């Protein structure tokens, strides 16, 4: 960064003055100038000027978070969420880009359905958004790649309940089909995100645990982390080896902790594999209070510490929420039988506050936070211009007050679900403002007036159809 000199005027609409900006090279005190929706300059504080000055002294300036694993439920499950409400939650939590999964109704398994979903949500999202493709039909997947899919989502699991949004057409029938799909996606330069599971072993484990109790939500969470997941992971990594495909392990925390080292070993052996998890911020003891509202991402204390360590040391590459909103009525199915409730909870509005809290607790550095929540997810999905504060990048910025505190209040959150397992949680730090391409879209947890400005994103180098 240049040394301080006389204040220079640069081309730009706004200068964010005096923040600790978390840049690709690390946090520095800086002025960040924005013009035309992009970052135009970064320099020592007090050296740049523009038409408008935003005083962000004593604040942290982060790149907008990129959540590559959300379920905004549209089309087909709008009673749970849609892009308008889900993206409002994202904006208010400091997430400026989301990538939505294909397990909707109907599932996004054809070019026609991909195009229909893209057009359906156009003009309704408050943040930028990409779409994952699903299914196993290679010609349809190739067509969806041409329409701008950010990747292909593969499901090795199956439904356990009638209301599970996992249509058979999204499920992988056998290892041979998986290997063929990996080779095809490598040729299209698309990542494949995998929900790793061994359905038959999971069914048997669930039956044993259900026989032990129908009221202990801990057992439901544990049912997703049986040894069958490790067997399935081994098959996925073996199928990926030698294909050149970028394989991404979705919600790695839905596997035994041993999976972390197995993924890392495959990476060191040359497999192009990455892994995600959400903040491991719920413990099994919390389920005494939450019940099924905390399923499935609640952990024994030792496992939670292992996931935090993996986020810090790089064995987990990025943070993604698996934002999975359900209504209270949906979850109430588990009041008498915890196995009857759908898994998942809303997380897109609380993910960055939870991660900021982790930084201020000493678990992570600001640079590692920016890598996990912004740079790495943007790289995974090929979203050029996202994930970093650097000249030429989109001016997606988040202002954090490290001296403030946040108390999660479910009544103020914006997901249609209307609840959060983190309700009442007191966190260090506060997300105070979110900017999308230089325009303020949320402040102090509230959406600002104005029409939704989110754009449909395609991987870098692929034109919007």
């Amino acid at each position: 960064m240049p040394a301080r000199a006389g204040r220079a005027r640069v081309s730009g609409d706004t200068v964010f003055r005096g923040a600790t900006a978390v840049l690709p090279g690390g946090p520095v005190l800086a002025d960040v100038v924005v013009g035309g929706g992009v970052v135009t300059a970064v320099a020592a504080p007090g050296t740049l000027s523009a038409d408008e000055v935003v005083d962000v002294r004593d604040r942290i300036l982060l790149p907008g978070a990129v959540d590559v694993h959300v379920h905004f439920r549209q089309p087909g499950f709008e009673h749970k969420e849609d892009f308008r409400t889900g993206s409002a939650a994202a904006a208010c939590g400091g997430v400026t880009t989301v990538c939505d999964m294909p397990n909707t109704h109907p599932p996004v398994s054809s070019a026609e359905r991909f195009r229909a979903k893209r057009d359906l949500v156009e003009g309704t999202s408050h943040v930028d958004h990409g779409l994952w493709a699903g299914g196993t039909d290679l010609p349809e997947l190739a067509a969806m790649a041409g329409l701008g899919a950010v990747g292909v989502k593969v499901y090795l699991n199956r439904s356990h309940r009638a209301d599970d949004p996992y249509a058979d057409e999204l499920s992988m029938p056998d290892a041979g089909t998986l290997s063929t799909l990996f080779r095809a996606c490598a040729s299209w330069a698309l990542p494949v995100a995998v929900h790793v599971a061994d359905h038959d072993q999971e069914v048997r484990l669930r039956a044993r645990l259900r026989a032990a109790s129908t009221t202990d939500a801990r057992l439901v969470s544990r049912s997703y982390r049986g040894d069958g997941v490790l067997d399935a992971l081994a098959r996925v990594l073996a199928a990926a080896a030698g294909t050149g495909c970028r394989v991404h392990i979705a919600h790695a925390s839905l596997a035994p902790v041993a999976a972390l080292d197995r993924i890392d070993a495959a990476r060191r052996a040359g497999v192009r594999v990455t892994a995600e998890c959400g903040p491991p911020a719920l413990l099994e003891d919390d389920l005494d209070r939450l019940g099924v509202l905390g399923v499935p991402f609640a952990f024994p204390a030792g496992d939670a510490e292992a996931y935090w360590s993996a986020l810090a040391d790089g064995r987990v590459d990025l943070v993604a929420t698996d934002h999975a909103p359900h209504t209270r009525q949906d979850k109430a199915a588990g009041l008498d039988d915890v196995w009857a409730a759908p898994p998942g909870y809303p997380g897109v509005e609380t993910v960055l506050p939870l991660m900021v809290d982790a930084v201020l607790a000493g678990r992570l550095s600001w640079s590692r936070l920016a890598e996990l929540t912004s740079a790495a997810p943007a790289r995974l999905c090929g979203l050029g211009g996202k994930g970093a504060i650097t000249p030429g990048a989109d001016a997606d910025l988040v202002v954090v007050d490290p001296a403030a505190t946040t108390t999660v209040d479910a009544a103020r959150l914006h997901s249609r679900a209307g609840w959060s397992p983190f309700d009442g949680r007191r966190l260090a730090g506060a997300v105070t403002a979110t900017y999308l391409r230089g325009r303020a879209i949320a402040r102090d947890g509230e959406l600002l007036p104005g029409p939704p400005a989110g754009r449909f994103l395609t991987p870098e180098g692929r034109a919007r159809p």
Side-chain angles (χ1 to χ4, degrees), residues 422-444:
F422 303 108
D423 187 34
R425 179 81 64 96
R426 192 169 187 268
L427 305 172
V431 172
T432 60
T434 305
Y435 293 79
L436 179 67
R437 293 188 302 280
R439 171 193 159 190
I441 58 172
R443 184 168 286 117
D444 296 327

Side-chain angles (χ1 to χ4, degrees), residues 26 41 46 63 79 94 116 129 153 171 182 186 190 287 289 311 313 342 355 363 384 410 435 451:
H79 66 288
H129 53 281
K153 177 67 181 290
S171 298
F182 281 163
L190 280 186
L287 299 183
R289 169 177 53 88
L311 285 164
D313 66 27
M355 295 301 291
R363 292 186 180 277
Y435 293 79

Side-chain angles (χ1 to χ4, degrees), residues 324-339:
H326 299 284
T327 66
R328 286 187 176 276
Q329 183 177 359
D330 293 333
K331 284 290 193 175
L335 291 177
D336 296 323
D337 180 355
V338 291
W339 301 92

Side-chain angles (χ1 to χ4, degrees), residues 92-93 289 349-354 356-357 360 401 403-414 420-432 444-446:
C92 292
R289 169 177 53 88
E349 192 165 354
T350 51
V351 60
L352 193 57
L354 286 166
V356 166
D357 179 77
L360 295 173
D401 183 350
T405 58
T406 297
T407 299
V408 179
D409 180 355
R412 292 190 64 205
L413 300 180
H414 295 79
S420 168
F422 303 108
D423 187 34
R425 179 81 64 96
R426 192 169 187 268
L427 305 172
V431 172
T432 60
D444 296 327
E446 296 296 336

Side-chain angles (χ1 to χ4, degrees), residues 268-345:
R268 288 185 280 106
V271 178
R272 300 181 69 189
V273 60
T274 53
E276 70 176 48
C277 76
L282 285 181
L283 301 181
E284 283 192 338
D285 287 350
D286 291 320
L287 299 183
D288 291 338
R289 169 177 53 88
L290 295 170
V292 293
L293 296 181
V295 170
F297 297 108
F299 311 98
D303 287 7
E305 288 302 317
Y307 291 122
W308 280 120
S309 294
L311 285 164
D313 66 27
R315 285 174 295 154
V316 172
D317 300 88
L318 60 93
V319 165
T321 61
D322 191 14
H323 173 81
H326 299 284
T327 66
R328 286 187 176 276
Q329 183 177 359
D330 293 333
K331 284 290 193 175
L335 291 177
D336 296 323
D337 180 355
V338 291
W339 301 92
Y345 50 73

Side-chain angles (χ1 to χ4, degrees), residues 53-454:
V53 175
V54 178
D55 186 352
V56 283
R57 288 173 295 179
D58 302 320
R59 302 292 187 266
I60 307 296
L61 193 64
L62 291 170
V66 178
D67 190 347
V68 296
H69 191 154
V70 302
H71 299 274
F72 282 176
R73 305 300 194 194
Q74 199 173 6
F77 302 103
E78 286 88 348
H79 66 288
K80 300 174 186 279
E81 193 79 284
D82 61 22
F83 264 75
R84 190 176 296 274
T85 56
S87 66
C92 292
V95 176
T96 53
T97 299
V98 297
C99 296
D100 192 66
M101 288 298 174
N103 56 325
T104 49
H105 183 71
V108 183
S109 56
S110 71
E112 180 182 2
R113 291 176 180 176
F114 186 96
R115 190 180 295 108
K117 179 174 178 177
R118 180 199 67 190
D119 294 347
L120 176 66
V121 305
E122 185 173 2
T124 68
S125 182
H126 295 281
V127 301
D128 288 349
H129 53 281
L131 301 178
W132 290 86
T136 60
D137 185 308
L138 294 186
E140 291 291 354
L141 290 172
M144 287 187 277
L147 289 171
V150 298
V152 174
K153 177 67 181 290
V154 165
Y155 295 85
L156 304 188
N157 60 322
R158 302 287 192 279
S159 295
H160 293 294
R161 288 165 305 279
D163 64 344
D164 273 346
Y166 300 115
D168 286 344
E169 62 194 274
L170 293 176
S171 298
M172 187 57 53
D174 53 61
T177 304
L178 182 62
S179 294
T180 299
L181 186 144
F182 281 163
R183 288 191 293 271
C185 287
S187 72
W188 303 326
L190 280 186
V192 178
V194 185
H195 180 137
V196 179
D198 184 305
H199 181 69
D200 292 339
Q201 291 193 56
E202 189 174 295
V203 166
R204 292 194 292 271
L205 177 58
R206 286 172 65 90
R208 291 198 300 273
L209 294 175
R210 190 180 188 282
S213 175
T214 59
T215 59
D216 187 351
R218 289 176 175 82
L219 300 185
V220 183
S221 283
R222 293 173 191 173
S223 73
Y224 292 95
R225 300 183 182 90
D227 289 340
V229 183
L230 296 178
D231 295 340
L233 177 63
R235 293 193 292 271
V236 168
L237 296 174
T243 66
C245 183
R246 291 182 294 136
V247 175
H248 180 67
I249 305 303
H251 36 56
S253 51
L254 274 190
V257 168
L260 298 171
D261 289 335
R262 298 191 186 190
I263 294 167
D264 190 51
R267 185 186 294 122
R268 288 185 280 106
V271 178
R272 300 181 69 189
V273 60
T274 53
E276 70 176 48
C277 76
L282 285 181
L283 301 181
E284 283 192 338
D285 287 350
D286 291 320
L287 299 183
D288 291 338
R289 169 177 53 88
L290 295 170
V292 293
L293 296 181
V295 170
F297 297 108
F299 311 98
D303 287 7
E305 288 302 317
Y307 291 122
W308 280 120
S309 294
L311 285 164
D313 66 27
R315 285 174 295 154
V316 172
D317 300 88
L318 60 93
V319 165
T321 61
D322 191 14
H323 173 81
H326 299 284
T327 66
R328 286 187 176 276
Q329 183 177 359
D330 293 333
K331 284 290 193 175
L335 291 177
D336 296 323
D337 180 355
V338 291
W339 301 92
Y345 50 73
V348 75
E349 192 165 354
T350 51
V351 60
L352 193 57
L354 286 166
M355 295 301 291
V356 166
D357 179 77
V359 171
L360 295 173
R363 292 186 180 277
L364 304 164
S365 67
W366 288 113
S367 290
R368 185 62 186 154
L369 169 65
E371 171 69 14
L372 287 166
T373 60
S374 302
R379 281 198 306 273
L380 173 71
C381 292
L383 302 177
K386 298 295 186 183
I389 302 175
T390 190
D394 286 354
D396 299 344
L397 304 171
V398 176
V399 181
V400 171
D401 183 350
T405 58
T406 297
T407 299
V408 179
D409 180 355
R412 292 190 64 205
L413 300 180
H414 295 79
S415 170
R416 182 162 290 148
W419 59 273
S420 168
F422 303 108
D423 187 34
R425 179 81 64 96
R426 192 169 187 268
L427 305 172
V431 172
T432 60
T434 305
Y435 293 79
L436 179 67
R437 293 188 302 280
R439 171 193 159 190
I441 58 172
R443 184 168 286 117
D444 296 327
E446 296 296 336
L447 202 64
L448 294 177

